[in-house]
Amino acid sequence: MTTTIPPTATVLASTRSTRSGVPTILIPEALAVLAARTAVALEASLTRFLVTADQNLGHFETQAAHDVQELLRTATQRAAQAKAEATPLRCPVCGQPLHRCSHSHARTFLTRFGDITVQRTRGYCKRCHKWRTPADTALGLEDTAGYSPAVQALAALAASKLPVAEASVVLEHLAGVKLPPATLDREAKRQGQRAQRLRTQLDQQAATEQKPLELLLEPYQMIIQLDAWNIRERDAWGQSATFRRRGHEPERWHWVYTGTVFRLDHRGETAGGRPVIVQRGYVFTRQGLDALRDQLHAEALRRGLGQAASVLVIGDGAVWIWRLADDRWPQAKQRLDFYHAVQHLVAVGRALWGEDKVQFKAWLKPLVRQLKHESAVKVIRQLDEALASLPTGPVAEAVTKEVAYFREHQHRMDYRAARRAGEPIGSGPVEATCRQGQCRFKRPGQFWSTAGDEALLCLETFWRNERWDLLFPHTAFNPSRN
């Protein structure tokens, strides 16, 4: 049987109000006709698929997505235009009525289904002393060069996870969205800068608001871990020779300060017995130690710092970690990462025994066991004895340096008590977090700018902290529940 579809009509969308005041959108005849044409195309694609021996289901899925593309693009165009026309002519910032309004300001932008054009109304806000286009705010277009919120989210996520050249290819392959690398880079940075502004607001809110107290079944301990890793930037790019002639070596590598925070009772195991932290917060920043301190404290507050029975800060021997801990969490207990403590024992052993691996291992093993299961005091005593037997020279200097290190951190080496209390003795979670950040931001051939890396680092924290929907509210929308 042959189905005949009439030519596409040109009927504008219309609305009518219900008793609740919510407008009901009437389906335009043109859209209904296009839907019918799409259904016929899908039936034809299905017929071809059934008789084509060398095609699997993936071929049909690709063809079906192509067949509905124009219908979805047209529906998106109609929805955007109807939303623009229904938007009140008020300033989206202060809410005051707009004046000197002019209509039919066209704007073309890319959506998940292709380019669409929307006619908007523009007006002047006397309070803000600025021209405003309310429809842009209603449609989520105020913070973009020309992309719908769905495309904005795709660009931000793809660029924060992959180098932009690869992200551009992946976006086109998986979502059919064509964004050249340079365009993708600009849009991702724009969204990252928007994320930075939102992060500042959220951190200020966390620091000032009084959260209602929760009814706790058991007291819990808050764990805070800190570390840092390097990122390469294009500072003084193209001026290296000039700098060197002046006696200054250009700096390329800079610290990305990193922190993670979680409650001790949020640790668990997978079905296979692998330890896992069920919930935790993350911070990455290139803006310095003050920024790390404020951002990590705000994240800890959001994770329940205000009701924690105690706080434990874990890190390696970097001086900045303990200074920051003393400044921001002065009542917290501090612990040196056990692996780093063992590394300093290894340094002593190598100084004492050189290339003699047998003697080295025989000396090291009991000290590591004592450090973990007994007391750092016993370890320091044996190091003192070893030092006393050495003649003056490089070996004695190396051992003296390590003995001083152990004395400085002795109060942070309570590993036996920690294991008995079920507390972590290592900074593995933040070490892994740093490594994951390096896998994205420290690839061969990559250079960053301070503005660019902070923008994408901020996007990464929004994603990891499960606050992506605060940047892109549509990502929390579940059509099956509506």
Side-chain angles (χ1 to χ4, degrees), residues 152-161 184-199 282 284 440-441 448 451-469 471-472:
Q152 295 170 34
L154 286 173
L157 183 59
S160 67
K161 298 297 182 183
L184 174 60
D185 182 59
R186 286 194 299 270
E187 184 61 25
K189 287 180 180 177
R190 182 180 289 107
Q191 298 306 319
Q193 291 163 358
R194 184 166 70 91
Q196 288 178 250
R197 296 191 293 270
L198 179 57
R199 179 181 64 188
Y282 301 85
F284 292 107
R440 167 60 186 97
F441 293 92
W448 300 87
D453 53 31
E454 185 67 21
L456 293 192
L457 287 166
C458 188
L459 288 174
E460 178 68 9
T461 58
F462 267 82
W463 179 262
R464 285 174 173 263
N465 291 324
E466 299 182 350
R467 286 191 280 274
W468 197 249
D469 60 309
L471 277 174
F472 307 104

Side-chain angles (χ1 to χ4, degrees), residues 227 315-317 336-351 360 363-364 368 371 383 398 402 405-406 413 415 427 431:
D227 206 346
D316 58 28
L336 179 71
D337 171 63
F338 178 74
Y339 178 76
H340 282 85
V342 171
Q343 283 184 316
H344 285 268
L345 280 178
V346 170
V348 176
R350 287 176 175 166
F360 168 71
W363 176 88
L364 179 64
V368 172
L371 184 64
L383 295 181
E402 299 303 334
Y405 177 88
F406 275 89
M413 297 182 178
Y415 304 121
S427 57
E431 298 279 353

Side-chain angles (χ1 to χ4, degrees), residues 1-175:
M1 182 178 70
T2 304
T3 303
T4 303
I5 304 298
T8 303
T10 56
V11 180
L12 297 177
S14 60
T15 63
R16 65 184 180 191
S17 297
T18 62
R19 291 183 179 179
S20 64
V22 179
T24 300
I25 305 298
L26 302 179
I27 299 178
E29 181 181 348
L31 189 58
V33 171
L34 183 56
R37 291 183 178 276
T38 301
V40 172
L42 286 171
E43 287 290 346
S45 297
L46 175 60
T47 301
R48 288 195 302 272
F49 171 67
L50 294 176
V51 299
T52 306
D54 61 346
Q55 289 188 356
N56 59 31
L57 187 58
H59 293 82
F60 179 75
E61 291 173 298
T62 302
Q63 182 64 53
H66 174 270
D67 290 344
V68 302
Q69 184 82 5
E70 181 58 24
L71 173 62
L72 294 174
R73 191 197 68 80
T74 302
T76 303
Q77 167 108 23
R78 296 292 180 84
Q81 187 61 59
K83 186 79 169 182
E85 293 173 0
T87 301
L89 296 179
R90 292 183 173 274
C91 175
V93 176
C94 68
Q96 293 299 305
L98 296 178
H99 300 269
R100 296 154 58 188
C101 296
S102 57
H103 309 285
S104 300
H105 291 274
R107 184 175 186 181
T108 300
F109 54 94
L110 179 65
T111 72
R112 284 285 301 273
F113 314 115
D115 289 326
I116 67 172
T117 301
V118 176
Q119 303 290 336
R120 306 114 66 233
T121 298
R122 184 186 182 204
Y124 185 76
C125 177
K126 293 183 177 180
R127 173 176 290 183
C128 299
H129 303 290
K130 288 187 177 181
W131 289 94
R132 305 290 193 189
T133 310
D136 284 357
T137 300
L139 295 172
L141 304 176
E142 68 275 18
D143 286 308
T144 180
Y147 306 101
S148 71
V151 175
Q152 295 170 34
L154 286 173
L157 183 59
S160 67
K161 298 297 182 183
L162 293 168
V164 290
E166 297 176 22
S168 175
V169 175
V170 169
L171 273 182
E172 183 174 358
H173 183 73
L174 294 181

Side-chain angles (χ1 to χ4, degrees), residues 301-324:
L301 288 172
R302 285 189 286 264
R303 301 281 171 173
L305 177 64
Q307 284 189 265
S310 61
V311 180
L312 171 63
V313 177
I314 306 179
D316 58 28
V319 175
W320 67 264
I321 292 179
W322 311 118
R323 287 180 178 174
L324 189 151

Side-chain angles (χ1 to χ4, degrees), residues 211-217 220 263 302-304 307:
K211 294 184 63 176
L213 297 178
E214 301 178 11
L215 180 61
L216 301 176
L217 299 178
Y220 61 83
R263 287 170 43 170
R302 285 189 286 264
R303 301 281 171 173
Q307 284 189 265

Side-chain angles (χ1 to χ4, degrees), residues 196-399:
Q196 288 178 250
R197 296 191 293 270
L198 179 57
R199 179 181 64 188
T200 299
Q201 297 174 11
L202 294 174
D203 289 353
Q204 291 173 348
Q205 180 181 352
T208 56
E209 71 175 359
Q210 295 292 328
K211 294 184 63 176
L213 297 178
E214 301 178 11
L215 180 61
L216 301 176
L217 299 178
E218 294 182 2
Y220 61 83
Q221 185 179 46
M222 182 68 68
I223 309 297
I224 299 174
Q225 299 189 358
L226 304 98
D227 206 346
W229 48 280
N230 286 129
I231 194 170
R232 185 165 57 171
E233 294 177 354
R234 290 181 180 269
D235 48 345
W237 193 251
Q239 305 176 47
S240 299
T242 303
F243 270 68
R244 291 189 177 106
R245 282 196 299 269
R246 296 174 180 174
H248 302 290
E249 183 64 25
E251 295 184 7
R252 293 282 184 257
W253 294 96
H254 303 274
W255 291 112
V256 175
Y257 293 105
T258 303
T260 187
V261 56
F262 57 92
R263 287 170 43 170
L264 188 60
D265 59 343
H266 284 168
R267 293 190 305 177
E269 291 184 351
T270 64
R274 181 175 63 85
V276 64
I277 301 172
V278 180
Q279 299 179 31
R280 64 171 167 143
Y282 301 85
V283 168
F284 292 107
T285 185
R286 256 288 292 125
Q287 295 179 335
L289 288 175
D290 289 343
L292 173 69
R293 178 195 60 203
D294 295 341
Q295 292 174 31
L296 191 56
H297 185 65
E299 189 62 36
L301 288 172
R302 285 189 286 264
R303 301 281 171 173
L305 177 64
Q307 284 189 265
S310 61
V311 180
L312 171 63
V313 177
I314 306 179
D316 58 28
V319 175
W320 67 264
I321 292 179
W322 311 118
R323 287 180 178 174
L324 189 151
D326 290 336
D327 174 44
R328 182 69 270 186
W329 309 287
Q331 304 303 320
K333 183 165 55 176
Q334 299 178 1
R335 180 165 298 136
L336 179 71
D337 171 63
F338 178 74
Y339 178 76
H340 282 85
V342 171
Q343 283 184 316
H344 285 268
L345 280 178
V346 170
V348 176
R350 287 176 175 166
L352 292 174
W353 304 106
E355 299 298 324
D356 191 339
K357 295 183 179 179
V358 175
Q359 291 285 356
F360 168 71
K361 292 181 179 180
W363 176 88
L364 179 64
K365 188 174 181 179
L367 287 179
V368 172
R369 184 189 62 78
Q370 285 184 352
L371 184 64
K372 187 173 184 179
H373 298 285
E374 297 181 29
S375 170
V377 175
K378 293 183 178 181
V379 174
I380 295 174
R381 185 182 304 124
Q382 293 186 57
L383 295 181
D384 283 334
E385 293 174 357
L387 178 61
S389 64
L390 294 174
T392 303
V395 175
E397 292 178 3
V399 176

